[in-house]
Amino acid sequence: YLKMSKLALAFAIIHSKPPGKSSKEYIEYLAKTVSKQDFGWKWKVEVLEAEVLRLRQELLLNRISPRFCLENRKQDSSAETLLSRESINPTSYSSQLEDSGCDVCNDSAFDSLGIASDFHRSEHNVNTSKHWLERVPPLNLCLTSKEESLTAPVQFLQRLLEIRKLSEGGILQADFSELENDSFTICNSVSQLLDGLTVFYNSPKFPAPSFLTEGVCVLISLITDTKLSNHVLKKCFKKMEEFQKNLIQIILRNKSVNRFQALHSVSQTLGLLGRNNLLRNSLISLLLSEVRQFAEQLLQAHQVHSVYDITQYENIFLLCMILEQLLQNETQESNISSSDYGGEEKLKFLKNLDEIILHLSDEFPLFSLYLWRVSVLLNSSQMQ
C-alpha cells in the first residue's frame, strides 16, 4: 500500500508540474515550500511552549507567595531588577575580560572575581529589601535572540531569589515546598539558563554583556542559597553536572590564539560552582579524571617520542589551578568529611602518580609540580 501511494504521488507531481520545469526541479520546489511551512510551525510551537512555561512560572510564584505576585502587578513593568544591580558589579567583572593578557598562573583568580564578593555584601543588606517589590521586572519568555532568551530564565529565577530574601527578612510569607510539586518548571528554567551560558562560553563576546553577569550571579545565588539549593540540585543535578563537563571541555578544546581571556572567565565560573558541596565533589571527580587522562597521554607520548597537543598542554594548567583551589577549600572546611569527594577517581589519580611525575619532571617540570601539589592535597585530606 505504501509503495502504491508513493507511486501515485509521483505520478500526481509529474502531471501537475508547470510547463518549462522538470520533475526534479518541481519536486525540489515543493520540498522547499513544505520545509518553510515546517519552520513556521516550529517557530509557532516554540513561542507557544515559551508562553506555557511563562504561565507555569507565574503560577508557581503565585503558589509560593501570592502576596509577592499581587504587589508586583502594581509596579511599573519597566523597573530594573535590584538583585542584578546589587549582587554584581558588571564593570568589575567585564573589566577583567577587556585585557587580552595571557596570565594563566594567578593563584588568586577565584578571589579576584567581583561576582562573589559583591553578592555576599548584598546578602546582608536587609534594609533595602522593602524596595525589592518595586524593582522586579515582569516575566517575558517570548524572545528571539540567543542573548534575550537567556534573560527569560534569569528573570524568573531572580524573582524566586527575591521572594526568598523577602521571606527571610519577615516581609513576605512564602511556602517553598511548592517547588517539590512542580519539577518541570524549575528544571526547565535552570536548563535554559545553563544552555544559554554554555552558548556564550562557546562563542564569547568582550567585554562581557550584562545578561552574562546576571546569569552567572543568579546561578551562583541558587546553588549557595541554603533553602533553594537543595530543591534545585535535587531536580537538576544531572544538568548541572553536564554543564560542568561542558565548561571543562570548552577549556581543553579551545585552540584560538588569544584564548586565555575567555578561558579565565570559564575557570572562574567553575570555581564558583565549587562553592556548593555536592557540585564540588562532582567537579573534583571530573577534574581528577581529565588531569589523570592527560598525564597518562603525555607520558605515553614522551616515552615513544611522539607529538603531543601543545595547546591542550597549555590549557590543562587552568584545570590544575581549579582543582588545587577546590581541594584547598575542601581541606579548610573541617565540618565536611574529605573522604566524601573523589572516590574512585581519587584512587585512580594517585595510582602510579609517582612514576608519572618521575618520568615527566625533566621535560615538563611545571606540570609535574602541579601534579605533585594536587597529590599532596589529596594525601593530606586522607590523613585528616
Side-chain angles (χ1 to χ4, degrees):
Y1 176 79
L2 183 60
K3 290 181 179 179
M4 292 295 293
S5 300
K6 289 181 178 179
L7 185 60
L9 177 61
F11 275 113
I13 292 174
I14 292 172
H15 285 299
S16 62
K17 72 180 181 66
K21 268 192 178 182
S22 66
S23 300
K24 181 179 179 181
E25 290 174 343
Y26 187 52
I27 290 173
E28 290 176 350
Y29 165 77
L30 292 176
K32 288 181 180 179
T33 303
V34 173
S35 64
K36 288 180 180 178
Q37 292 176 352
D38 289 342
F39 178 79
W41 281 109
K42 287 179 181 179
W43 180 81
K44 291 179 181 179
V45 169
E46 290 176 357
V47 171
L48 291 174
E49 287 178 345
E51 179 65 14
V52 169
L53 180 59
R54 183 189 69 80
L55 293 174
R56 295 191 65 151
Q57 289 176 343
E58 293 275 8
L59 181 61
L60 178 59
L61 292 174
N62 187 65
R63 287 175 176 173
I64 293 174
S65 181
R67 181 189 162 192
F68 177 86
C69 296
L70 180 63
E71 293 291 334
N72 186 58
R73 288 193 189 99
K74 300 176 182 178
Q75 308 306 325
D76 184 4
S77 62
S78 62
E80 295 177 340
T81 307
L82 180 64
L83 185 63
S84 65
R85 299 298 182 187
E86 294 190 352
S87 299
I88 185 170
N89 185 352
T91 305
S92 65
Y93 182 64
S94 61
S95 62
Q96 300 180 32
L97 304 180
E98 291 174 358
D99 183 21
S100 59
C102 299
D103 181 13
V104 294
C105 300
N106 184 5
D107 290 334
S108 62
F110 304 99
D111 297 329
S112 65
L113 184 58
I115 295 176
S117 59
D118 292 337
F119 169 70
H120 285 299
R121 281 198 297 270
S122 67
E123 277 186 322
H124 303 288
N125 193 2
V126 183
N127 295 329
T128 60
S129 61
K130 294 181 179 180
H131 305 288
W132 286 0
L133 287 173
E134 303 175 3
R135 308 283 299 275
V136 184
L139 291 179
N140 183 12
L141 294 184
C142 299
L143 301 167
T144 54
S145 71
K146 292 180 180 179
E147 295 185 5
E148 290 176 333
S149 65
L150 182 60
T151 64
V154 167
Q155 287 179 2
F156 165 69
L157 296 172
Q158 279 177 335
R159 295 178 74 177
L160 190 63
L161 286 165
E162 294 192 19
I163 292 176
R164 168 80 174 90
K165 294 300 178 184
L166 292 171
S167 65
E168 189 179 40
I171 301 174
L172 278 180
Q173 293 292 328
D175 181 15
F176 289 98
S177 62
E178 290 291 337
L179 293 175
E180 296 289 340
N181 302 326
D182 194 354
S183 60
F184 172 84
T185 303
I186 190 69
C187 285
N188 232 314
S189 302
V190 173
S191 294
Q192 283 187 356
L193 173 59
L194 298 179
D195 290 340
L197 291 175
T198 303
V199 168
F200 170 82
Y201 283 129
N202 272 309
S203 303
K205 297 179 181 178
F206 300 102
S210 60
F211 76 89
L212 172 73
T213 55
E214 290 180 359
V216 174
C217 178
V218 167
L219 179 62
I220 302 307
S221 300
L222 278 176
I223 65 173
T224 53
D225 189 281
T226 52
K227 279 191 176 181
L228 295 180
S229 61
N230 292 332
H231 294 288
V232 172
L233 292 179
K234 183 178 180 181
K235 308 293 184 182
C236 314
F237 182 78
K238 289 185 177 180
K239 185 67 179 181
M240 295 290 293
E241 194 172 36
E242 180 185 344
F243 178 62
Q244 292 181 143
K245 292 178 180 178
N246 290 336
L247 294 187
I248 290 174
Q249 292 306 312
I250 288 173
I251 292 177
L252 285 176
R253 295 175 180 176
N254 196 315
K255 296 181 180 294
S256 61
V257 176
N258 195 17
R259 65 187 179 277
F260 299 106
Q261 183 182 8
L263 296 186
H264 182 65
S265 62
V266 180
S267 66
Q268 287 176 328
T269 301
L270 279 173
L272 290 171
L273 289 175
R275 294 189 173 194
N276 181 277
N277 296 330
L278 291 176
L279 291 178
R280 182 194 303 169
N281 297 341
S282 171
L283 183 54
I284 288 176
S285 296
L286 292 172
L287 292 171
L288 285 173
S289 176
E290 292 293 343
V291 174
R292 174 184 59 81
Q293 290 179 35
F294 179 81
E296 292 174 351
Q297 294 171 5
L298 186 63
L299 176 61
Q300 184 179 3
H302 177 64
Q303 289 176 339
V304 299
H305 303 287
S306 63
V307 180
Y308 65 94
D309 190 340
I310 183 63
T311 303
Q312 194 171 19
Y313 175 77
E314 294 174 345
N315 294 344
I316 200 70
F317 285 101
L318 277 173
L319 298 189
C320 292
M321 290 168 56
I322 301 169
L323 179 57
E324 184 179 10
Q325 182 69 31
L326 293 175
L327 290 174
Q328 286 176 349
N329 294 341
E330 186 77 22
T331 54
Q332 289 171 2
E333 297 181 12
S334 57
N335 59 327
I336 300 175
S337 175
S338 55
S339 60
D340 290 341
Y341 68 85
E344 185 179 352
E345 287 299 333
K346 179 179 177 180
L347 298 176
K348 288 181 179 179
F349 184 87
L350 293 174
K351 184 180 180 181
N352 301 327
L353 183 62
D354 292 338
E355 181 182 351
I356 294 176
I357 294 176
L358 179 63
H359 286 88
L360 296 179
S361 57
D362 291 337
E363 190 73 21
F364 308 99
L366 184 58
F367 181 60
S368 301
L369 177 61
Y370 266 104
L371 291 178
W372 176 77
R373 288 165 65 168
V374 171
S375 67
V376 169
L377 288 171
L378 288 173
N379 288 322
S380 63
S381 65
Q382 221 168 12
M383 296 171 61
Q384 290 179 353

